């Protein structure tokens, strides 16, 4: 009687472990799919792939500009902010080009090097842009990214999805997938050993 209870409990434990492993594999596949349709296209579309050194030539704040926040054109999506222009000397080619914060900045407003998030407090936005401008004037040399193919003549300060970020994005689903497969393999080995012991 006790042996039957132990066998039943063992089968239940194996079933739960197998479900856990299959669930981990399924979740990791969903994460792979989500990363593949969100992060990977932005990474592959970016042409600013080569890192170099930029030297600040001019960092000035122009008049306030009116720019839609994102792709929407509704009135509530439009906000006013000072336009910061940063021109740098590209060490790789010696050209004078305009610097943008990220790839998204160029798409949102190609006239300004920095586009802030939509904030209700306009003074906070102005103070942040003035701080960024003063930092550029203080630190003249820094690393930036440019397009080695020459499609884009401007440069960006940082990439939205660098190779390191893409690596960490794939790291967690890979660990989950590996753990799920390991659980499934261990359950199958345990079942095989149990059947072999019962046969002997």
């Amino acid at each position: 009687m006790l042996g039957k209870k132990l066998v039943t409990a063992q089968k239940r434990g194996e079933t739960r472990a197998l479900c856990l492993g299959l669930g981990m594999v399924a979740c990791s596949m969903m994460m792979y799919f989500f990363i593949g349709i969100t992060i990977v296209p932005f990474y592959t579309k970016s042409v600013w792939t080569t890192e170099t050194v930029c030297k600040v030539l001019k960092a000035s704040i122009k008049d306030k500009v009116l720019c839609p926040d994102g792709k929407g054109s509704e009135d509530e999506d439009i906000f006013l902010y000072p336009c910061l222009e940063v021109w740098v000397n590209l060490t790789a080619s010696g050209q004078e080009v305009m610097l943008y914060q990220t790839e998204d900045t160029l798409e949102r407003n190609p006239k300004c090097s920095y586009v802030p998030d939509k904030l209700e407090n306009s003074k906070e936005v102005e103070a942040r842009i003035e701080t960024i401008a003063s930092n550029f004037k203080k630190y003249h040399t820094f690393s930036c990214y440019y397009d080695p193919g020459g499609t884009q003549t401007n440069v960006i300060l940082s990439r939205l999805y660098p190779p390191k970020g893409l690596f960490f994005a794939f790291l967690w689903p890979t660990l989950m997938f590996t753990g799920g497969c390991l659980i499934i393999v261990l359950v199958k080995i345990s079942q095989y050993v149990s059947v072999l012991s019962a046969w002997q």
Side-chain angles (χ1 to χ4, degrees):
M1 189 69 179
L2 182 60
K4 290 183 178 180
K5 289 184 178 179
L6 289 174
V7 171
T8 303
Q10 182 181 3
K11 288 184 178 179
R12 288 179 179 175
E14 289 176 351
T15 303
R16 292 174 181 175
L18 190 61
C19 290
L20 175 63
L22 291 174
M24 291 174 65
V25 171
C27 288
S28 64
M29 297 304 293
M30 291 176 62
M31 292 174 68
Y32 277 130
F33 176 75
F34 180 76
I35 294 172
I37 63 175
T38 55
I39 298 178
V40 173
F42 286 103
Y43 176 80
T44 56
K45 189 175 69 172
S46 178
V47 295
W48 296 271
T49 56
T50 305
E51 187 175 1
T52 185
V53 177
C54 289
K55 295 181 179 180
V56 177
L57 298 175
K58 182 177 64 173
S60 58
I61 298 177
K62 304 295 183 179
D63 296 334
K64 291 185 177 181
V65 293
L66 203 63
C67 182
D69 182 18
K71 296 182 180 180
S73 59
E74 293 82 2
D75 292 338
E76 61 269 15
D77 290 333
I78 296 177
F79 63 104
L80 197 67
Y81 63 94
C83 182
L84 172 65
E85 284 187 5
V86 180
W87 288 86
V88 297
N89 184 6
L90 188 61
T91 305
S93 61
Q95 295 177 332
E96 296 181 4
V97 295
M98 189 168 178
L99 174 74
Y100 295 94
Q101 184 186 12
T102 61
E103 300 95 331
D104 185 57
T105 307
L106 179 61
E107 293 181 1
R108 293 175 64 185
N109 188 0
K111 295 181 180 180
C112 303
S113 298
Y114 173 76
V115 178
D117 295 329
K118 186 177 179 182
L119 299 174
E120 295 181 359
N121 190 350
S122 59
K123 292 183 179 180
E124 183 179 348
V125 174
E126 293 178 5
R128 180 182 300 178
I129 292 177
E130 289 178 0
T131 302
I132 294 173
S134 62
N135 287 335
F136 276 119
K137 294 176 182 178
K138 184 178 180 181
Y139 304 101
H140 296 280
T141 305
F142 51 88
S143 60
C144 59
Y145 295 89
Y146 75 100
D147 176 19
T151 307
Q152 294 286 345
T153 56
N154 42 58
V155 295
I156 60 173
L157 181 62
S158 59
R159 300 181 64 182
L160 284 174
Y161 301 105
K164 187 177 181 181
L166 193 67
F167 169 76
F168 282 109
F170 278 104
L171 177 63
W172 300 114
T174 302
L175 292 177
M176 184 179 292
F177 179 81
T178 305
C181 291
L182 185 62
I183 291 174
I184 294 173
V185 170
L186 290 176
V187 170
K188 292 299 181 181
I189 292 175
S190 175
Q191 290 176 346
Y192 174 76
V193 172
S194 298
V195 172
L196 188 63
S197 299
W199 181 76
Q200 289 179 349

